[in-house]
Amino acid sequence: LLSELIAQTDSRVQIHCLVRGQTEAEARRKLIDSQSRYGLWKESSALRIQIVQGDLGAPRFGLSDEAFVQLAEQIDLIVHCGAKVDHVRGYDAMKPANVTGTQTVLALASLRKLKPVHHMSTLSVLYPPQFLQRGLVSEDDVAGPLQSLPNGYMQSKCVAEHLVQHAGERGLPVVTYRLGAITGHSKTSVCNLGDFFYSALRSAVQLGFADDLDTDQTLVPVDHAVR
């Protein structure tokens, strides 16, 4: 997503990236290492990337009041793609990053000036059985019902969607994207090997056994998703 934003925007556009780290230098190194791992890092991009050293799940992202206000004054648009993804731990473990983090994004978007928010969600916020008979899910279908979603990740992303929806009803420009499982790049095949889908495939090959899951996987190449 960062690589695509750099490629598709004017060279004068600055992109602020929230990255965890004990120091700004450590956070910058983490970002460069991640980009390099996928063959995306370009030294020419460095001047366009502003590191925001912080934590998605912390109050104000771990920033001081002054730094949070300054960030709100500097930026014009937010692409909220950060999340904690874990299909084992419960809601309480997912809440800081996925729910509180989204609340902080919306607060930042409302501070000083209104900033459009592009919110990355997941198809997992929808409970499939209620759509089976109709055979169709609309973009306007409401996330949930919360009590029917089977794990903490799905529940936390459902709550986050409702927060974004309520913010939109109050006048904040918002849009939500419900993505399926993100797979490798359609041309280079580079992918996140720690992803649930690839981890499940790798485990099945190594063990010689596979789960008998009655489920569909909606696979989306990462380059298509970010475009």
Side-chain angles (χ1 to χ4, degrees), residues 12 63 65 68 75-76 87 139 191 202:
R12 293 169 295 179
L63 305 177
D65 288 341
F68 193 74
I75 63 177
D76 301 300
H87 296 286
E139 289 185 353
C191 64
R202 187 167 58 251

Side-chain angles (χ1 to χ4, degrees), residues 26-38 41:
E26 179 187 323
R28 180 174 293 278
R29 173 48 54 189
K30 283 178 65 176
L31 183 142
I32 293 173
D33 288 347
S34 178
Q35 290 270 290
S36 300
R37 191 180 314 126
Y38 297 112
W41 177 250

Side-chain angles (χ1 to χ4, degrees), residues 191-204:
C191 64
N192 174 16
L193 293 176
D195 176 78
F196 170 80
F197 181 73
Y198 290 109
S199 296
L201 285 181
R202 187 167 58 251
S203 298

Side-chain angles (χ1 to χ4, degrees), residues 62 96 113 116 122 168 179 182 201 205:
K113 57 185 177 182
T122 169
L179 302 177
I182 305 298
L201 285 181
V205 171

Side-chain angles (χ1 to χ4, degrees), residues 62-172:
L63 305 177
S64 66
D65 288 341
E66 293 79 8
F68 193 74
V69 170
Q70 184 179 31
L71 182 62
E73 293 172 341
Q74 289 176 327
I75 63 177
D76 301 300
L77 176 146
I78 299 174
V79 180
H80 177 30
C81 193
K84 183 176 180 64
V85 183
D86 190 314
H87 296 286
V88 176
R89 291 176 174 82
Y91 176 83
D92 288 345
M94 302 294 107
K95 182 181 176 180
N98 297 351
V99 177
T100 306
T102 299
Q103 288 177 315
T104 307
V105 165
L106 297 172
L108 182 67
S110 306
L111 186 61
R112 288 290 195 260
K113 57 185 177 182
L114 290 182
K115 296 168 275 293
V117 174
H118 295 261
H119 173 233
M120 306 301 155
S121 187
T122 169
L123 288 174
S124 297
V125 300
L126 299 169
Y127 186 58
Q130 70 181 15
F131 298 105
L132 285 178
Q133 187 173 3
R134 187 177 9 144
L136 179 70
V137 177
S138 166
E139 289 185 353
D140 296 325
D141 282 322
V142 178
L146 184 64
Q147 63 272 18
S148 299
L149 300 176
N151 71 38
Y153 170 70
M154 298 176 184
Q155 294 163 2
S156 66
K157 293 296 285 184
C158 175
V159 173
E161 264 208 26
H162 282 276
L163 290 172
V164 172
Q165 178 186 348
H166 293 329
E169 292 167 354
R170 295 176 182 180
L172 188 68

Side-chain angles (χ1 to χ4, degrees), residues 36-47:
S36 300
R37 191 180 314 126
Y38 297 112
L40 298 171
W41 177 250
K42 296 178 181 177
E43 207 61 48
S44 58
S45 304
L47 293 177

